[in-house]
Amino acid sequence: MSLAFIDLAAQQARLRPALDRAIAGVLDQGRYIMGPQVAELEKQLAAFCGAKHCISCANGTDALQLALMALGIKAGDAVFVPSFTFAATAEVVPFLNATPVFVDCLPDTFNMDPESLKRAIVHARSLGLNPACVIPVDLFGLAADYDALIAIARENGLKVIGDSAQGFGADYKGKITGSICDITTTSFFPAKPLGCYGDGGALFTDDDQIKALIDSFRVHGKGSHKYQNERVGMNSRLDTLQAAILIEKLAIYAEEIEARQVVAARYTAGLSNRIETPYIPDGLKSVWAQYTLKAASEADRETIRARAKDAGVPTEVYYPLPLHRQNAYKAFPSDPKGLTVSEDLSQRVFSLPMHPYLGQEAQDQVLAAIIG
Ligand SMILES: *Cc1c(COP(=O)(O)O)cnc(C)c1O
């Protein structure tokens, strides 16, 4: 039997009656844009992570752009981003005429390397750029090394935006992502740990002024009413239908995060003497957007992936080419020491099927396929 990489149908089967009621409620009420479910979801999301404010928006990429707009990022500013991430993290920076500067990651957590960030800041200054902001990513569901990264940011006058598209709800030393950075962004793309049935995103902040700016920017830079424009903004709202769906999904999210721990622990127990399994530092808890292994070499990875495919076990490579090597981004600056860890990881990593409804039998099928 072939497994699904991410099985959204199992969750839907569990929630179907509640989802049908929630969707019917929106249809009955007819407030498709900014209906009451949007504000209710924002309240619940803020409470979930312990942030003062949550502002929803149309997707995780817009969330990053809105964050940069609220911080006033502009031409001449350097924004430090990892290279080993999804393109959206860097993509929004040139849109605001600022310069993305690529930073390497750590070989064990795959998250931003604080030493590489320090070198990249010095390098950006030498190019005449103004170091303004850093965007650490909670890659694969694990929070970045925020203590170290925020300390460097404060020393250098940088704002910190956490890109938690993959990591909303992850535990970092007793804090939940969303409550750690100046602004945190997330995505509700269906395959993310907390996903809706379309596009969706959100931002989190404790700062009242930043909250007010994001609220304005997401609706055409509105002032105190809709047809008063205080600033050039965008149209980036979360649909009421998606908010209603997310309220039902958020209600079981904490339980699903625990179910993901069980799958990950069983994978690690079955594989750690055969292949390099994920490293989770003390005091951290991943939400396991991905469970990612490190093969000995690119050839080894392809052998294992082919064997898994034959056994009906899908695997994926996140990410096969780091951003600083992509045509769209290779002209931008990066840590002058090179991004050797990002380059090495892109050749060796691969991810296994992971979702909260992956049963023991399916897990055993995965383990057998990887062990060979
Ligand atoms: C998915 C993702 C985004 C973008 O989210 P969308 O909702 O698809 O726009 C941004 N950053 C990272 C790290 C992601 O994984």
Side-chain angles (χ1 to χ4, degrees), residues 58-62 64 85-86 88-89 137-139 163-166 186-189 192 199-201 319:
N59 57 69
T61 308
D62 279 5
L64 287 162
T85 178
F86 182 61
T89 314
V137 174
D138 301 328
L139 201 71
D163 178 351
S164 208
Q166 303 179 11
T186 196
S187 163
F188 305 123
F189 182 83
K192 308 282 177 178
D199 278 309
Y319 294 93

Side-chain angles (χ1 to χ4, degrees), residues 158-348:
L158 307 182
K159 294 291 186 190
V160 182
I161 300 172
D163 178 351
S164 208
Q166 303 179 11
F168 179 69
D171 192 323
Y172 179 79
K173 305 181 184 178
K175 284 188 172 177
I176 303 298
T177 54
S179 67
I180 300 167
C181 304
D182 296 311
I183 306 176
T184 302
T185 65
T186 196
S187 163
F188 305 123
F189 182 83
K192 308 282 177 178
L194 179 62
C196 60
Y197 292 145
D199 278 309
L203 301 94
F204 301 87
T205 185
D206 286 350
D207 186 307
D208 297 345
Q209 205 179 337
I210 288 174
K211 189 260 177 191
L213 282 170
I214 295 167
D215 202 32
S216 168
F217 278 127
R218 78 171 160 171
V219 187
H220 308 289
K222 71 174 164 124
S224 54
H225 82 84
K226 204 167 137 182
Y227 300 114
Q228 180 189 355
N229 306 101
E230 293 293 335
R231 47 192 69 80
V232 178
M234 52 202 282
N235 173 14
S236 186
R237 294 169 297 225
L238 182 71
D239 292 345
T240 308
L241 273 170
Q242 300 301 343
I245 289 161
L246 280 163
I247 287 171
E248 301 307 324
K249 292 202 180 200
L250 184 62
I252 59 165
Y253 188 48
E255 195 188 299
E256 288 185 338
I257 292 173
E258 291 314 311
R260 288 172 184 269
Q261 309 306 316
V262 175
V263 178
R266 207 143 170 280
Y267 275 171
T268 297
L271 294 172
S272 61
N273 62 351
R274 291 295 296 265
I275 187 165
E276 214 175 318
T277 51
Y279 166 70
I280 307 296
D282 280 348
L284 273 64
K285 190 176 189 178
S286 177
V287 295
W288 298 106
Q290 303 296 339
Y291 183 94
T292 301
L293 296 167
K294 242 196 282 181
S297 65
E298 191 169 13
D300 184 41
R301 174 173 78 182
E302 296 325 310
T303 305
I304 298 170
R305 292 190 68 209
R307 186 169 68 224
K309 191 175 176 213
D310 288 343
V313 173
T315 60
E316 298 284 350
V317 174
Y318 301 111
Y319 294 93
L321 191 62
L323 296 182
H324 71 285
R325 288 291 188 91
Q326 301 275 2
N327 286 336
Y329 298 102
K330 62 188 177 196
F332 293 114
S334 53
D335 172 359
K337 209 179 158 194
L339 306 183
T340 52
V341 176
S342 300
E343 286 167 12
D344 176 53
L345 288 176
S346 65
Q347 296 183 332
R348 295 201 283 135

